[in-house]
Amino acid sequence: MGYYDEHSPKKREKKRRWAVPTVVGLVLGAVLVLLALPALVQTEMLPYDITIPEDESGLTEGEQGLTGNTTKTVDVDVNTQITDIVDKVRPAVVGVVNMQSRTNFWDQPSDPQQAGIGSGVIYKKQDGTAYVVTNHHVVEGASELEVVLADETRVKAEIVGSDIFTDLAVLEMSGENVEHTIELGNSDNLKAGEPAVAIGNPLSLNFSGSVTKGIISGTQRAIPQDLNGDGVEDWQAEVIQTDAAINPGNSGGALINIEGQLVGINSMKIARSAVEGIGFAIPISAARPIMEELEKNGEVSRAFLGVEAYGLNEVPSSEWQSTLGLPEDVEGGLYIRSVSEGSPAIKAGLEAMDVITKLDGNKVTDIIELRQYLYREKGPGDEMEVTYYRDGEKDTTTVTLASQE
């Protein structure tokens, strides 16, 4: 009688032949499932949700690239606060075309031709008239002006007033096609490091409405300027520094804050091969009263003394005692070269060769300090005490300032 022995060598060999393929199949299946699982989750082919756990680094397996060919789809919302304010502000930023007539061989004027292009900002619309602020140097010498709106409509404009010292000008034009004006901000509250956006027309109208973004790099910067091109500094402009790109054609355009408010009128940049990212704008808090005065009077009324003067630092120190007779303790002042006839200075007794050292008790050393004191601290009709030296003798006089014409 035969019997079944499951422990016999033949039976054990037969079970081994089946076990090996089964184990191998299970292992390969598990590996395939692990590799395919992220892709199945992303394609939503599974009937239920599976969350791939994060490791200690906080990255999922797919993000770490462990699966090799797994791609991750990312949805990005391109609408940001910057794009929103640009959409809001851009229609108020315009092109300003300076048209100038030239004379021919027989001194006959030709039809006005385009001489330059800058930018401007529509800041006010009243009684059918729109007002644009731009730079003085953008409109200087123009016989005609055109304002190019954001939709490329061209509108004739007139200069209401212009001021060389602040480099500001106000234009007026028909407001028929104007729908947007910009909101004026407060540049006194600006802080270094906060975002800034410049909008204008760099190089030409082909790039109208160009937007550059940066930060406020500094406030209350003082930049010396030679206004008449004689190589002597005539004025110091107090400006905002920004690294938002400002190029030729951006002059007169808008520098705005993160709220879309106008905080500066783009004015200049430092154009040197070794310098990058340094641009300047006129602070709106300083520009606003000038804009209002230009709009109202067509000019800025400033106090006038009536002297041609130079800083003592431009006079050889050997001449201070021998020619001007100054005491050794005088360290600086203004040497008067000439006095205008009928001016407040001549009426107060000031003469050529006098050396002014103080204005109302405040030291003065160069023409820039004299102008800044007159234009910012004084007005036409105000009195000013002048301390001066003549032939080595110290004296004072009171000047009644007039209006600069």
Side-chain angles (χ1 to χ4, degrees), residues 158-363:
E158 299 290 337
I159 299 177
V160 177
S162 188
D163 181 58
I164 189 173
F165 287 99
T166 56
D167 195 23
L168 289 171
V170 170
L171 317 179
E172 65 177 9
M173 64 180 185
S174 169
E176 179 181 357
N177 298 307
V178 174
E179 298 181 0
H180 301 277
T181 61
I182 202 166
E183 179 184 354
L184 302 185
N186 184 357
S187 56
D188 292 339
N189 297 331
L190 291 176
K191 296 182 179 179
E194 71 173 270
V197 177
I199 306 178
N201 309 303
L203 304 182
S204 72
L205 292 175
N206 292 330
F207 301 102
S208 62
S210 292
V211 179
T212 56
K213 178 179 176 294
I215 61 171
I216 300 296
S217 304
T219 59
Q220 297 181 340
R221 300 296 200 212
I223 305 299
Q225 292 182 293
D226 175 12
L227 301 177
N228 55 11
D230 62 356
V232 178
E233 296 173 359
D234 304 298
W235 186 247
Q236 276 192 331
E238 291 189 2
V239 292
I240 302 166
Q241 180 186 338
T242 179
D243 68 347
I246 297 175
N247 294 292
N250 274 118
S251 294
L255 185 71
I256 61 176
N257 60 16
I258 200 66
E259 301 297 329
Q261 298 170 328
L262 183 67
V263 295
I265 307 297
N266 298 327
S267 182
M268 68 186 96
K269 67 174 292 185
I270 294 181
R272 298 176 187 168
S273 59
V275 177
E276 183 176 349
I278 300 182
F280 300 101
I282 304 165
I284 194 61
S285 295
R288 190 195 302 253
I290 302 298
M291 292 157 57
E292 293 174 350
E293 190 166 355
L294 290 175
E295 187 181 324
K296 181 179 179 181
N297 302 320
E299 61 182 4
V300 178
S301 179
R302 293 190 172 97
F304 173 67
L305 178 60
V307 296
E308 180 187 0
Y310 299 89
L312 278 179
N313 58 347
E314 299 180 46
V315 178
S317 56
S318 59
E319 302 293 325
W320 289 22
Q321 283 82 39
S322 60
T323 302
L324 300 175
L326 293 174
E328 293 184 359
D329 60 349
V330 174
E331 298 178 349
L334 273 175
Y335 154 66
I336 298 179
R337 182 173 180 177
S338 64
V339 182
S340 301
E341 287 295 329
S343 67
I346 204 167
K347 291 178 181 178
L350 293 175
E351 300 177 0
M353 303 288 284
D354 289 347
V355 176
I356 299 173
T357 56
K358 292 182 180 181
L359 304 173
D360 290 332
N362 302 296
K363 289 183 179 180

Side-chain angles (χ1 to χ4, degrees), residues 62-136:
E63 290 170 331
Q64 294 173 7
L66 297 178
T67 59
N69 296 323
T70 301
T71 58
K72 184 179 178 71
T73 302
V74 179
D75 293 327
V76 178
D77 183 5
V78 297
N79 292 319
T80 66
Q81 188 172 359
I82 296 294
T83 59
D84 289 342
I85 65 171
V86 168
D87 288 341
K88 174 184 175 183
V89 171
R90 185 182 273 160
V93 181
V94 298
V96 178
V97 182
N98 184 321
M99 311 283 286
Q100 297 185 12
S101 298
R102 306 186 187 281
T103 56
N104 58 23
F105 180 78
W106 293 275
D107 290 332
Q108 295 176 332
S110 63
D111 292 334
Q113 302 292 321
Q114 179 176 302
I117 295 175
S119 304
V121 186
I122 305 173
Y123 68 92
K124 181 180 178 181
K125 182 180 177 181
Q126 181 178 327
D127 299 330
T129 299
Y131 295 88
V132 177
V133 60
T134 185
N135 288 143
H136 166 83

